[in-house]
PDB file of all heavy atoms in Angstrom:
ATOM      1  N   VAL A  61      -5.038 -14.207   5.705  1.00  0.00           N
ATOM      2  CA  VAL A  61      -5.892 -14.293   4.514  1.00  0.00           C
ATOM      3  C   VAL A  61      -5.133 -14.216   3.190  1.00  0.00           C
ATOM      4  O   VAL A  61      -5.719 -14.484   2.138  1.00  0.00           O
ATOM      5  CB  VAL A  61      -7.004 -13.208   4.529  1.00  0.00           C
ATOM      6  CG1 VAL A  61      -7.867 -13.317   5.774  1.00  0.00           C
ATOM      7  CG2 VAL A  61      -6.437 -11.804   4.366  1.00  0.00           C
ATOM      8  N   ALA A  62      -3.862 -13.871   3.212  1.00  0.00           N
ATOM      9  CA  ALA A  62      -3.112 -13.638   1.968  1.00  0.00           C
ATOM     10  C   ALA A  62      -3.139 -14.835   1.025  1.00  0.00           C
ATOM     11  O   ALA A  62      -3.213 -14.668  -0.195  1.00  0.00           O
ATOM     12  CB  ALA A  62      -1.668 -13.244   2.280  1.00  0.00           C
ATOM     13  N   SER A  63      -3.102 -16.027   1.572  1.00  0.00           N
ATOM     14  CA  SER A  63      -3.079 -17.217   0.714  1.00  0.00           C
ATOM     15  C   SER A  63      -4.425 -17.470   0.030  1.00  0.00           C
ATOM     16  O   SER A  63      -4.501 -18.244  -0.915  1.00  0.00           O
ATOM     17  CB  SER A  63      -2.663 -18.444   1.528  1.00  0.00           C
ATOM     18  OG  SER A  63      -3.635 -18.715   2.523  1.00  0.00           O
ATOM     19  N   GLU A  64      -5.488 -16.799   0.475  1.00  0.00           N
ATOM     20  CA  GLU A  64      -6.821 -16.959  -0.115  1.00  0.00           C
ATOM     21  C   GLU A  64      -7.067 -16.008  -1.279  1.00  0.00           C
ATOM     22  O   GLU A  64      -8.119 -16.050  -1.910  1.00  0.00           O
ATOM     23  CB  GLU A  64      -7.909 -16.675   0.940  1.00  0.00           C
ATOM     24  CG  GLU A  64      -7.864 -17.528   2.166  1.00  0.00           C
ATOM     25  CD  GLU A  64      -8.840 -17.044   3.240  1.00  0.00           C
ATOM     26  OE1 GLU A  64      -9.752 -16.239   2.925  1.00  0.00           O
ATOM     27  OE2 GLU A  64      -8.676 -17.467   4.385  1.00  0.00           O
ATOM     28  N   ILE A  65      -6.098 -15.136  -1.553  1.00  0.00           N
ATOM     29  CA  ILE A  65      -6.314 -14.021  -2.472  1.00  0.00           C
ATOM     30  C   ILE A  65      -5.575 -14.224  -3.784  1.00  0.00           C
ATOM     31  O   ILE A  65      -4.448 -14.696  -3.816  1.00  0.00           O
ATOM     32  CB  ILE A  65      -5.871 -12.710  -1.791  1.00  0.00           C
ATOM     33  CG1 ILE A  65      -6.801 -12.433  -0.605  1.00  0.00           C
ATOM     34  CG2 ILE A  65      -5.861 -11.552  -2.765  1.00  0.00           C
ATOM     35  CD1 ILE A  65      -6.382 -11.273   0.242  1.00  0.00           C
ATOM     36  N   ILE A  66      -6.244 -13.819  -4.853  1.00  0.00           N
ATOM     37  CA  ILE A  66      -5.656 -13.789  -6.189  1.00  0.00           C
ATOM     38  C   ILE A  66      -5.584 -12.324  -6.614  1.00  0.00           C
ATOM     39  O   ILE A  66      -6.542 -11.565  -6.424  1.00  0.00           O
ATOM     40  CB  ILE A  66      -6.526 -14.564  -7.203  1.00  0.00           C
ATOM     41  CG1 ILE A  66      -6.637 -16.027  -6.799  1.00  0.00           C
ATOM     42  CG2 ILE A  66      -5.959 -14.435  -8.606  1.00  0.00           C
ATOM     43  CD1 ILE A  66      -7.648 -16.796  -7.625  1.00  0.00           C
ATOM     44  N   PHE A  67      -4.445 -11.949  -7.192  1.00  0.00           N
ATOM     45  CA  PHE A  67      -4.252 -10.606  -7.739  1.00  0.00           C
ATOM     46  C   PHE A  67      -4.023 -10.706  -9.235  1.00  0.00           C
ATOM     47  O   PHE A  67      -3.603 -11.743  -9.732  1.00  0.00           O
ATOM     48  CB  PHE A  67      -2.984  -9.955  -7.164  1.00  0.00           C
ATOM     49  CG  PHE A  67      -2.974  -9.697  -5.708  1.00  0.00           C
ATOM     50  CD1 PHE A  67      -2.275 -10.534  -4.850  1.00  0.00           C
ATOM     51  CD2 PHE A  67      -3.617  -8.602  -5.180  1.00  0.00           C
ATOM     52  CE1 PHE A  67      -2.215 -10.275  -3.496  1.00  0.00           C
ATOM     53  CE2 PHE A  67      -3.571  -8.336  -3.824  1.00  0.00           C
ATOM     54  CZ  PHE A  67      -2.869  -9.178  -2.983  1.00  0.00           C
ATOM     55  N   ASN A  68      -4.198  -9.609  -9.918  1.00  0.00           N
ATOM     56  CA  ASN A  68      -3.752  -9.496 -11.292  1.00  0.00           C
ATOM     57  C   ASN A  68      -2.247  -9.271 -11.253  1.00  0.00           C
ATOM     58  O   ASN A  68      -1.770  -8.292 -10.661  1.00  0.00           O
ATOM     59  CB  ASN A  68      -4.451  -8.312 -11.972  1.00  0.00           C
ATOM     60  CG  ASN A  68      -3.925  -8.065 -13.353  1.00  0.00           C
ATOM     61  OD1 ASN A  68      -2.825  -7.536 -13.517  1.00  0.00           O
ATOM     62  ND2 ASN A  68      -4.700  -8.425 -14.340  1.00  0.00           N
ATOM     63  N   ASP A  69      -1.479 -10.191 -11.855  1.00  0.00           N
ATOM     64  CA  ASP A  69      -0.015 -10.112 -11.794  1.00  0.00           C
ATOM     65  C   ASP A  69       0.518  -8.818 -12.388  1.00  0.00           C
ATOM     66  O   ASP A  69       1.489  -8.249 -11.874  1.00  0.00           O
ATOM     67  CB  ASP A  69       0.620 -11.311 -12.503  1.00  0.00           C
ATOM     68  CG  ASP A  69       0.527 -12.587 -11.692  1.00  0.00           C
ATOM     69  OD1 ASP A  69       0.373 -12.499 -10.446  1.00  0.00           O
ATOM     70  OD2 ASP A  69       0.599 -13.668 -12.292  1.00  0.00           O
ATOM     71  N   GLY A  70      -0.086  -8.355 -13.458  1.00  0.00           N
ATOM     72  CA  GLY A  70       0.364  -7.101 -14.067  1.00  0.00           C
ATOM     73  C   GLY A  70       0.191  -5.920 -13.130  1.00  0.00           C
ATOM     74  O   GLY A  70       1.073  -5.054 -13.037  1.00  0.00           O
ATOM     75  N   ALA A  71      -0.937  -5.881 -12.410  1.00  0.00           N
ATOM     76  CA  ALA A  71      -1.183  -4.795 -11.461  1.00  0.00           C
ATOM     77  C   ALA A  71      -0.184  -4.843 -10.311  1.00  0.00           C
ATOM     78  O   ALA A  71       0.327  -3.807  -9.866  1.00  0.00           O
ATOM     79  CB  ALA A  71      -2.616  -4.872 -10.935  1.00  0.00           C
ATOM     80  N   VAL A  72       0.122  -6.050  -9.843  1.00  0.00           N
ATOM     81  CA  VAL A  72       1.074  -6.211  -8.743  1.00  0.00           C
ATOM     82  C   VAL A  72       2.472  -5.761  -9.181  1.00  0.00           C
ATOM     83  O   VAL A  72       3.171  -5.048  -8.450  1.00  0.00           O
ATOM     84  CB  VAL A  72       1.080  -7.669  -8.238  1.00  0.00           C
ATOM     85  CG1 VAL A  72       2.226  -7.933  -7.288  1.00  0.00           C
ATOM     86  CG2 VAL A  72      -0.255  -7.996  -7.569  1.00  0.00           C
ATOM     87  N   LYS A  73       2.883  -6.142 -10.380  1.00  0.00           N
ATOM     88  CA  LYS A  73       4.200  -5.730 -10.884  1.00  0.00           C
ATOM     89  C   LYS A  73       4.273  -4.217 -11.055  1.00  0.00           C
ATOM     90  O   LYS A  73       5.281  -3.588 -10.720  1.00  0.00           O
ATOM     91  CB  LYS A  73       4.499  -6.426 -12.212  1.00  0.00           C
ATOM     92  CG  LYS A  73       4.874  -7.877 -12.047  1.00  0.00           C
ATOM     93  CD  LYS A  73       5.128  -8.544 -13.378  1.00  0.00           C
ATOM     94  CE  LYS A  73       5.374 -10.045 -13.156  1.00  0.00           C
ATOM     95  NZ  LYS A  73       5.341 -10.805 -14.378  1.00  0.00           N
ATOM     96  N   GLU A  74       3.206  -3.632 -11.577  1.00  0.00           N
ATOM     97  CA  GLU A  74       3.176  -2.177 -11.747  1.00  0.00           C
ATOM     98  C   GLU A  74       3.286  -1.481 -10.397  1.00  0.00           C
ATOM     99  O   GLU A  74       4.024  -0.497 -10.248  1.00  0.00           O
ATOM    100  CB  GLU A  74       1.888  -1.749 -12.454  1.00  0.00           C
ATOM    101  CG  GLU A  74       1.784  -0.260 -12.666  1.00  0.00           C
ATOM    102  CD  GLU A  74       0.501   0.166 -13.351  1.00  0.00           C
ATOM    103  OE1 GLU A  74      -0.162  -0.664 -14.010  1.00  0.00           O
ATOM    104  OE2 GLU A  74       0.153   1.354 -13.213  1.00  0.00           O
ATOM    105  N   PHE A  75       2.581  -1.982  -9.400  1.00  0.00           N
ATOM    106  CA  PHE A  75       2.636  -1.414  -8.050  1.00  0.00           C
ATOM    107  C   PHE A  75       4.062  -1.496  -7.502  1.00  0.00           C
ATOM    108  O   PHE A  75       4.594  -0.508  -6.987  1.00  0.00           O
ATOM    109  CB  PHE A  75       1.634  -2.140  -7.154  1.00  0.00           C
ATOM    110  CG  PHE A  75       1.562  -1.649  -5.742  1.00  0.00           C
ATOM    111  CD1 PHE A  75       1.548  -0.301  -5.433  1.00  0.00           C
ATOM    112  CD2 PHE A  75       1.487  -2.561  -4.697  1.00  0.00           C
ATOM    113  CE1 PHE A  75       1.467   0.142  -4.112  1.00  0.00           C
ATOM    114  CE2 PHE A  75       1.397  -2.144  -3.381  1.00  0.00           C
ATOM    115  CZ  PHE A  75       1.393  -0.790  -3.091  1.00  0.00           C
ATOM    116  N   ALA A  76       4.692  -2.657  -7.626  1.00  0.00           N
ATOM    117  CA  ALA A  76       6.078  -2.807  -7.162  1.00  0.00           C
ATOM    118  C   ALA A  76       7.000  -1.848  -7.917  1.00  0.00           C
ATOM    119  O   ALA A  76       7.893  -1.237  -7.306  1.00  0.00           O
ATOM    120  CB  ALA A  76       6.539  -4.250  -7.328  1.00  0.00           C
ATOM    121  N   ASN A  77       6.791  -1.694  -9.220  1.00  0.00           N
ATOM    122  CA  ASN A  77       7.623  -0.774 -10.009  1.00  0.00           C
ATOM    123  C   ASN A  77       7.464   0.668  -9.540  1.00  0.00           C
ATOM    124  O   ASN A  77       8.447   1.411  -9.461  1.00  0.00           O
ATOM    125  CB  ASN A  77       7.291  -0.884 -11.501  1.00  0.00           C
ATOM    126  CG  ASN A  77       7.785  -2.170 -12.117  1.00  0.00           C
ATOM    127  OD1 ASN A  77       8.679  -2.830 -11.591  1.00  0.00           O
ATOM    128  ND2 ASN A  77       7.190  -2.552 -13.230  1.00  0.00           N
ATOM    129  N   VAL A  78       6.234   1.072  -9.241  1.00  0.00           N
ATOM    130  CA  VAL A  78       5.997   2.431  -8.756  1.00  0.00           C
ATOM    131  C   VAL A  78       6.704   2.634  -7.414  1.00  0.00           C
ATOM    132  O   VAL A  78       7.357   3.658  -7.197  1.00  0.00           O
ATOM    133  CB  VAL A  78       4.478   2.725  -8.640  1.00  0.00           C
ATOM    134  CG1 VAL A  78       4.216   4.002  -7.858  1.00  0.00           C
ATOM    135  CG2 VAL A  78       3.850   2.810 -10.027  1.00  0.00           C
TER     136      VAL A  78
END
Side-chain angles (χ1 to χ4, degrees):
V61 302
S63 64
E64 302 172 16
I65 294 173
I66 299 171
F67 296 102
N68 174 285
D69 285 338
V72 169
K73 285 179 185 167
E74 180 181 340
F75 181 44
N77 288 340
V78 167

